[in-house]
Amino acid sequence: MYPVLRKSIFMTRSILLFLIFFQVLSPFANSQKLRKADKEIISELQADIGSLTNDKMEGRRSGTSGEALASDYIIGGFIKAGLKPLGDSGTYLQRFEIYDGRDITHTRFSINNADLILNTEFIPLPFSAIGKADGSPAIALQESGSPWFYDLKETVEAAQSNPHFDMDKLLREKTRLFEGKGATAVIFYNSSKTDDGIVFDPAEGIKPEKIPVLYVTKAGRKKYLRDISQSLDVVIDVQMLEKKRWGHNVIGFLDLGAPYTVVIGAHYDHLGYGEDGNSLYRGAEKKIHPGADDNASGTAALMELARLLKKTKNLRTNYLFIAFSGEESGLIGSKYFTEHPSVALSKISYMVNMDMVGRLNDSTHVLTIGGYGTSPQWATLINGTLNKKLFVLNADSSGTGPSDHTSFYLKNIPVLFFFTGIHPDYHKPTDQPDKINYVGEMEVIHLIYDITQKMDGMNKPVFVKTRDKQFGVSPAFNVTLGLMPDYSFSGSGLRIDAISEGRPAEKAGLKAGDIIIKLGDYSVISLQTYMEALSKFNRGDQTTVEFLRDKAEMKAAVQFK
Ligand SMILES: [Zn+2]
């Protein structure tokens, strides 16, 4: 599950703890009543979740050797279940690219012919352009056609009283401003006693600015910038490498030669050691995030459904099983699949997504089914299938949400998303297999299986666009634009993945693919800066939005409702 939910999790934590307190702790209390077939399912789930959460897989971070071990395991399951490979060129794997920040390679900065020491006396900023600049600027004078020095003293001191201060954003804004005024490079330094916290964080690389940008450390400043009245001969050469990882979806096909195919999906990647900043663990010790519920549970359910459907006679629909990777980095794998489908999207009947299906609460019995509004058939079908003694239905009509079904919904495919709820172990090393409710997960699998059987051989269900929730917005915001950000976008700005009908973004003429760079007076560099900008507005406010469409800068008026 992608951590868009993060804000709301904090808000509901106390309620969650309350619910957990009352949870029945032994999921096997009624195991003697289970049928033999159900016992078999449960032991298979235990084996699969146990294997996928094994320390050897190191938390299954996409693009790592842990992911490779997990994909091998899933392929083994697909082969046993008799699925055909439907990934790249006859294999089960479909490879896609994940942006992995930037690495400094050969970067040089000299003042009056003396080379400064990289990392000790200076660093390039992660958003620096690759390239060279030189000149003989005066430290205190900023002239067009020359590198500029800039002292962050006042900014850093003023920022101390502002908890929302964003240094990265400020450095970028200054860089753009100076570049617009003719600076050929920017050299930041900080002469105040206050620490500015500036480091080279490769993950923040995203889209480079147009000119080289350096930061001179305290050590460098003491050595070279003591006298700010002087002019210096500077030579700058910034060289960096864009890093990439490769993630892999695992795709198996139960081909019955039918005209339509149902996609059943679950992501198998998780957070690894939490190196992508999406962990909620705050301890100092480096720990594996096993992701038993998120989403070894869904992956095990996927493998189980493959076994069950393979054994089912007289099916009249094909089933495509996809274990996605890159989900935790922003639904990258599922998005890649829908852009490079191995079954034509027009032939996909509907998509079932399972993300965190292992923690059915034995006292509340709440099962969330998302995408409920994406086909008019769903309500009748689910109400006629779901056993009300086992589940309390929490229907969520929206076709979008923090998991992979969103990618399919955005291609106008009806979706159903199964989710047993958030818990205090979410995105923490404590999301362990012994906390899985195996009986509950088996019941979820039965429900999904029953749904596929009722739908089998039916025409493709009618697709309906849902009245979408206010994408990615927490209650702290007074207004929304009604758009869904593209979480996989690594450039500067906020790229729009989808627009809600009848809401301010649509009325302003924004379209999917546009990149928002400014909202009112606030620059938009990332999702974070977009959220911050949005939080400044109230209902009824009018402002402007600046955006890029096919590289052309455009501007439109926005009216918040
Ligand atoms: Zn997750």
Side-chain angles (χ1 to χ4, degrees):
M1 170 102 31
Y2 187 68
V4 182
L5 286 173
R6 197 178 292 183
K7 275 195 176 132
S8 60
I9 291 157
F10 287 124
M11 277 175 236
T12 54
R13 177 169 293 173
S14 52
I15 303 168
L16 282 165
L17 290 172
F18 176 79
L19 291 175
I20 297 294
F21 183 74
F22 285 101
Q23 187 167 1
V24 178
L25 290 172
S26 168
F28 295 102
N30 51 359
S31 61
Q32 65 276 22
K33 290 183 226 153
L34 294 172
R35 295 181 297 146
K36 187 166 165 273
D38 287 345
K39 283 186 187 160
E40 224 173 274
I41 292 177
I42 288 167
S43 69
E44 281 163 347
L45 291 175
Q46 285 170 325
D48 289 342
I49 293 173
S51 298
L52 290 164
T53 53
N54 189 295
D55 278 356
K56 275 190 218 151
M57 299 202 183
E58 293 179 295
R60 310 183 302 280
R61 180 171 174 250
S62 53
T64 65
S65 53
E67 184 216 62
L69 287 175
S71 64
D72 278 351
Y73 183 82
I74 298 162
I75 290 170
F78 281 4
I79 291 172
K80 259 194 205 159
L83 305 184
K84 288 199 330 204
L86 213 59
D88 298 333
S89 47
T91 72
Y92 287 95
L93 294 175
Q94 181 183 46
R95 192 175 83 146
F96 59 89
E97 203 176 288
I98 302 169
Y99 176 78
D100 202 18
R102 309 174 88 190
D103 251 354
I104 304 170
T105 52
H106 183 83
T107 290
R108 197 180 148 232
F109 177 37
S110 75
I111 294 179
N112 294 340
N113 290 320
D115 280 334
L116 279 76
I117 306 164
L118 179 68
N119 295 324
T120 309
E121 294 174 339
F122 84 102
I123 49 167
L125 290 184
F127 56 80
S128 169
I130 287 168
K132 300 178 186 183
D134 56 49
S136 304
I139 299 176
L141 201 67
Q142 301 177 323
E143 280 180 301
S144 180
S146 165
W148 287 17
F149 284 92
Y150 187 81
D151 188 356
L152 293 163
K153 183 174 193 283
E154 281 175 31
T155 316
V156 169
E157 283 167 1
Q160 276 195 300
S161 55
N162 176 5
H164 300 296
F165 180 73
D166 184 339
M167 179 60 85
D168 189 54
K169 181 180 161 191
L170 176 115
L171 295 170
R172 272 190 184 263
E173 281 174 354
K174 292 283 182 207
T175 301
R176 284 181 195 169
L177 182 74
F178 298 164
E179 193 258 333
K181 289 182 178 174
T184 57
V186 184
I187 304 154
F188 289 106
Y189 65 99
N190 169 18
S191 69
S192 79
K193 290 203 170 61
T194 312
D195 186 34
D196 51 44
I198 296 174
V199 291
F200 181 84
D201 181 350
E204 281 170 11
I206 42 179
K207 191 177 175 186
E209 298 295 334
K210 291 180 188 144
I211 51 175
V213 188
L214 304 180
Y215 171 74
V216 178
T217 64
K218 201 183 243 179
R221 185 177 64 78
K222 284 190 174 156
K223 205 159 153 189
Y224 296 97
L225 309 179
R226 270 185 179 275
D227 175 9
I228 64 154
S229 66
Q230 59 182 335
S231 291
L232 302 170
D233 289 331
V234 302
V235 178
I236 297 166
D237 180 6
V238 176
Q239 298 300 329
M240 291 196 261
L241 214 65
E242 303 266 311
K243 286 193 293 175
K244 281 170 195 162
R245 311 199 305 272
W246 297 100
H248 301 83
N249 294 327
V250 187
I251 310 176
F253 195 34
L254 181 53
D255 185 4
L256 295 145
Y260 284 101
T261 296
V262 172
V263 172
I264 302 181
H267 78 87
Y268 73 100
D269 66 306
H270 193 53
L271 312 186
Y273 293 89
E275 46 274 77
D276 297 320
N278 42 13
S279 169
L280 295 174
Y281 168 64
R282 295 286 168 265
E285 192 192 338
K286 192 177 154 186
K287 280 192 172 168
I288 292 173
H289 292 61
D293 185 32
D294 185 9
N295 187 28
S297 70
T299 310
L302 180 78
M303 294 166 78
E304 190 56 47
L305 281 161
R307 291 188 275 262
L308 292 174
L309 284 161
K310 177 70 186 180
K311 278 189 250 166
T312 308
K313 295 199 172 73
N314 305 320
L315 291 176
R316 286 165 296 163
T317 305
N318 313 314
Y319 292 87
L320 188 67
F321 297 87
I322 313 179
F324 297 107
S325 187
E327 194 273 349
E328 300 287 9
S329 312
L331 320 183
I332 299 175
S334 57
K335 190 165 179 184
Y336 185 87
F337 177 84
T338 58
E339 299 294 338
H340 308 86
S342 45
V343 166
L345 295 183
S346 61
K347 299 293 173 196
I348 294 176
S349 173
Y350 61 96
M351 191 263 181
V352 171
N353 181 30
M354 300 167 290
D355 192 354
M356 300 174 67
V357 291
R359 290 284 198 106
L360 186 74
N361 186 305
D362 276 334
S363 56
T364 65
H365 305 281
V366 172
L367 174 68
T368 296
I369 302 184
Y372 199 76
T374 60
S375 175
Q377 275 145 275
W378 288 160
T380 323
L381 172 73
I382 288 164
N383 277 302
T385 314
L386 179 135
N387 182 342
K388 293 187 177 65
K389 280 183 199 141
L390 294 173
F391 299 112
V392 172
L393 175 65
N394 171 35
D396 176 359
S397 68
S398 178
T400 61
S403 188
D404 295 309
H405 55 289
T406 304
S407 303
F408 289 81
Y409 168 75
L410 293 174
K411 296 291 182 191
N412 298 340
I413 294 168
V415 296
L416 284 173
F417 163 47
F418 293 84
F419 171 45
T420 51
I422 210 92
H423 46 76
D425 300 306
Y426 171 73
H427 279 202
K428 289 184 188 161
T430 48
D431 181 3
Q432 295 279 355
D434 60 344
K435 292 176 180 165
I436 296 293
N437 179 348
Y438 290 95
V439 175
E441 175 161 350
M442 175 203 70
E443 297 297 359
V444 174
I445 291 169
H446 279 316
L447 171 63
I448 295 170
Y449 177 81
D450 291 346
I451 288 170
T452 64
Q453 294 314 292
K454 287 194 183 168
M455 288 298 294
D456 192 72
M458 302 254 268
N459 284 333
K460 182 174 167 145
V462 174
F463 172 76
V464 180
K465 272 201 177 154
T466 54
R467 215 175 234 285
D468 293 311
K469 279 192 189 156
Q470 298 160 6
F471 297 121
V473 167
S474 81
F477 295 86
N478 295 320
V479 295
T480 67
L481 276 175
L483 59 82
M484 169 142 179
D486 176 352
Y487 296 109
S488 67
F489 180 57
S490 59
S492 180
L494 177 120
R495 188 160 70 190
I496 302 173
D497 221 1
I499 298 270
S500 297
E501 275 172 53
R503 303 199 39 81
E506 191 194 45
K507 290 187 175 160
L510 288 167
K511 289 183 182 164
D514 290 347
I515 300 167
I516 296 180
I517 52 174
K518 204 162 181 191
L519 192 60
D521 292 332
Y522 308 99
S523 290
V524 174
I525 294 158
S526 59
L527 182 60
Q528 187 62 33
T529 52
Y530 167 72
M531 303 283 255
E532 282 162 18
L534 204 57
S535 69
K536 307 287 197 300
F537 295 96
N538 289 306
R539 284 165 193 269
D541 283 356
Q542 250 182 347
T543 190
T544 54
V545 57
E546 289 172 44
F547 57 99
L548 298 172
R549 179 174 294 164
D550 300 328
K551 289 180 185 151
E553 275 196 36
M554 301 178 73
K555 194 168 179 172
V558 176
Q559 167 77 58
F560 290 110
K561 280 196 279 192

